[in-house]
Amino acid sequence: MDVDVLFKIAGIGIVISILSKVLDEAGRKEQAQMTTLVGVVIVLMMVIQLISRLFDNVKSMFHLY
Amino acid sequence: MEIIQIVGISLVAAVMVVLLRDDRPEIALQISIIAGAIVFLLMLNKIASALNVLQDMAQKANIDFIYLNTILKIVGIAYVAEFGAQICRDSGSSSLAAKIEFAAKIIIMLLSIPILMAVLELLLKILP
């Protein structure tokens, strides 16, 4: 069901948050930034998938081709 | 009952947004986008049946299909524009939200020009 995506994204967000803090504390600031960026890109992929599905449905339903 | 599911999903998403907002605002924004998309996808079937009923009634009333089609398009554009504008406002870019709404207004005006012309022509025919 679609609701799993929500939890996956929240899970990824929390993991990225923790990883980023740990890397920050360990002194590797650039790696922390890079993991943040990677996490955001991964989440963006999932969001774009769902949004394109949503907009396809809206287009077909409201005859907006 | 679907409304309970929807309220449940939205509440859980709101809690997660609050959790991640200070630390990872970009992820919080995407969570709110996804929650909105999920709620709409859940409501899709009901909207489709309501639209079918409207189309049947329009057919029976002998209304030209193009009028209902235009109204449908305008509602769709308004919905998509509001979705995008609210998300932008949530993330703090209220100027982007204003631009989206402005664009939606222009497109809707353009779509409704043929109907306005038809009404004006009808009026001119009636007036001597």
Side-chain angles (χ1 to χ4, degrees), chain A residues 36-54:
Chain A
T36 303
L37 220 53
V38 164
V40 169
V41 165
I42 292 178
V43 169
L44 199 61
M45 291 287 133
M46 288 195 254
V47 167
I48 288 184
Q49 257 183 346
L50 206 67
I51 291 275
S52 88
R53 199 172 119 200
L54 170 72

Side-chain angles (χ1 to χ4, degrees), chain A residues 2-3 5-7 9-10 13 16-17 20-21 36 40 43-44 47 50-51 54 57-58 61-64, chain B residues 9 12-13 16 23-24 26-27 30-31 33-34 38 40-41 44 47 51 55 69 72-73 76-77 80:
Chain A
D2 303 310
V3 201
V5 183
L6 206 59
F7 292 126
I9 293 184
I16 292 287
S17 192
S20 170
K21 277 211 186 108
T36 303
V40 169
V43 169
L44 199 61
V47 167
L50 206 67
I51 291 275
L54 170 72
N57 278 330
V58 167
M61 194 188 300
F62 291 106
H63 304 295
L64 280 176
Chain B
I9 292 175
V12 168
M16 292 198 280
D23 217 6
R24 294 263 153 262
E26 62 274 8
I27 306 268
Q30 285 167 333
I31 289 183
I33 294 179
I34 290 253
I38 289 177
F40 184 78
L41 284 172
L44 219 52
I47 299 180
L51 288 182
Q55 275 175 344
N69 210 7
L72 226 56
K73 276 193 203 179
I77 289 177
V80 171

Side-chain angles (χ1 to χ4, degrees), chain B residues 78-109:
Chain B
Y79 169 73
V80 171
E82 213 223 328
F83 185 74
Q86 281 291 7
I87 297 282
C88 288
R89 223 167 268 136
D90 255 355
S91 73
S93 325
S94 59
S95 66
L96 276 177
K99 296 295 171 292
I100 291 179
E101 286 178 347
F102 163 75
K105 281 178 198 163
I106 299 283
I107 294 178
I108 289 178
M109 189 172 71

Side-chain angles (χ1 to χ4, degrees), chain B residues 13-26:
Chain B
V15 165
M16 292 198 280
V17 163
V18 167
L19 184 66
L20 290 169
R21 187 176 284 157
D22 293 325
D23 217 6
R24 294 263 153 262
E26 62 274 8

